[in-house]
Amino acid sequence: MKKLILATHNRGKVKELQELLGALPVEVFSLHDFPELGEIPETGSTFKENAYIKAQTVFTYTGLPVIADDSGLEVDALGGAPGVYSARYAGEGAADEDNNRKLLEALSQVSPSGRGAQFRSVICAIFGPGQEQYAEGICRGRIGFEARGNNGFGYDPLFLVEPDFERTMAELSLEEKNAVSHRGRALRNLKPLLLEFLKGDT
Ligand code: ITT
């Protein structure tokens, strides 16, 4: 069976990507299986650049096929912030709760109709030397006024999902989230390339 490394330390992403890869004949690893690799500095200014940095670093180190997700929350009223800085919005090493608190404060004067936002995921896949490929997914919604729900990670408890804005992403099951999320969409967009890679004999 072919091996595939998910170039992430984020356990939420690992869980979602593993479920999305589902029945595909592939043996999946994450960076938790390579503890010696440590944190990979994300020095890019776009999701695409950071996804490439993570995928390329892991591919160079392991020589194994890899996919990396770089993702974040883009809030309309904040001109697309926190964007690539989503994980460190409240500072380096910030916890999800700190980031969520800062976001609620930043939007405290903004009415429901002005609270539009989207999650974006860019996946970089490297299946062989010099062969990087990309897929992207977006999920639109609205930022609520309080945290709700216990599933998912990051900004999920604040993100009311389109089209009815009734449930937060953190109130969806793993399968429900994957059906509508940015990451689910990005991985489905990557699927033809993934199937091609799995069919090949290298
Ligand atoms: P890796 O770099 O190891 O993959 P990370 O969490 O640092 O883990 P990113 O650099 O891509 O990943 O930052 C993504 C941040 O964007 C993440 O920490 C959340 O704050 C937010 N985010 C991304 N996808 C999300 C999702 O599905 N639900 C909630 N928040 C999400």
Side-chain angles (χ1 to χ4, degrees):
M1 209 187 306
K2 287 194 174 172
K3 295 181 163 63
L4 180 67
I5 303 183
L6 308 177
T8 180
H9 287 107
N10 182 319
R11 291 184 194 277
K13 288 188 190 179
V14 173
K15 227 163 129 180
E16 292 172 21
L17 290 168
Q18 249 165 352
E19 208 273 334
L20 285 161
L21 291 166
L24 291 180
V26 69
E27 196 182 346
V28 178
F29 300 88
S30 79
L31 295 189
H32 297 289
D33 298 304
F34 300 89
E36 67 281 13
L37 203 49
E39 280 299 321
I40 301 168
E42 295 181 30
T43 51
S45 54
T46 61
F47 294 119
K48 191 174 173 183
E49 283 170 11
N50 283 335
Y52 173 74
I53 290 168
K54 290 188 266 192
Q56 181 58 37
T57 304
V58 175
F59 181 74
T60 303
Y61 182 76
T62 63
L64 292 171
V66 52
I67 64 176
D69 157 291
D70 199 66
S71 47
L73 179 69
E74 300 174 320
V75 179
D76 300 349
L78 303 177
V84 290
Y85 302 106
S86 293
R88 37 192 158 134
Y89 183 43
E92 212 58 55
D96 290 344
E97 293 72 30
D98 303 326
N99 290 331
N100 285 345
R101 197 174 316 114
K102 178 163 174 178
L103 181 61
L104 284 179
E105 276 165 25
L107 296 180
S108 61
Q109 303 303 316
V110 182
S111 68
S113 63
R115 299 172 78 93
Q118 62 192 23
F119 278 123
R120 185 193 298 271
S121 157
V122 175
I123 293 180
C124 176
I126 304 184
F127 299 140
Q131 291 179 28
E132 64 268 10
Q133 295 170 303
Y134 296 90
E136 180 170 302
I138 284 174
C139 174
R140 284 221 42 104
R142 208 179 254 183
I143 304 304
F145 287 87
E146 62 190 7
R148 255 178 25 214
N150 298 311
N151 303 329
F153 67 95
Y155 299 91
D156 282 345
L158 294 182
F159 190 88
L160 297 161
V161 184
E162 244 190 14
D164 49 20
F165 310 111
E166 273 173 10
R167 285 193 296 169
T168 69
M169 201 71 117
E171 293 177 308
L172 304 187
S173 68
L174 180 63
E175 291 77 10
E176 286 173 321
K177 178 176 174 183
N178 275 343
V180 299
S181 78
H182 48 312
R183 189 164 299 103
R185 293 195 165 126
L187 199 81
R188 281 191 290 280
N189 288 337
L190 187 77
K191 207 80 175 258
L193 298 171
L194 201 51
L195 292 175
E196 198 60 33
F197 154 68
L198 290 174
K199 248 182 18 204
D201 34 46
T202 50

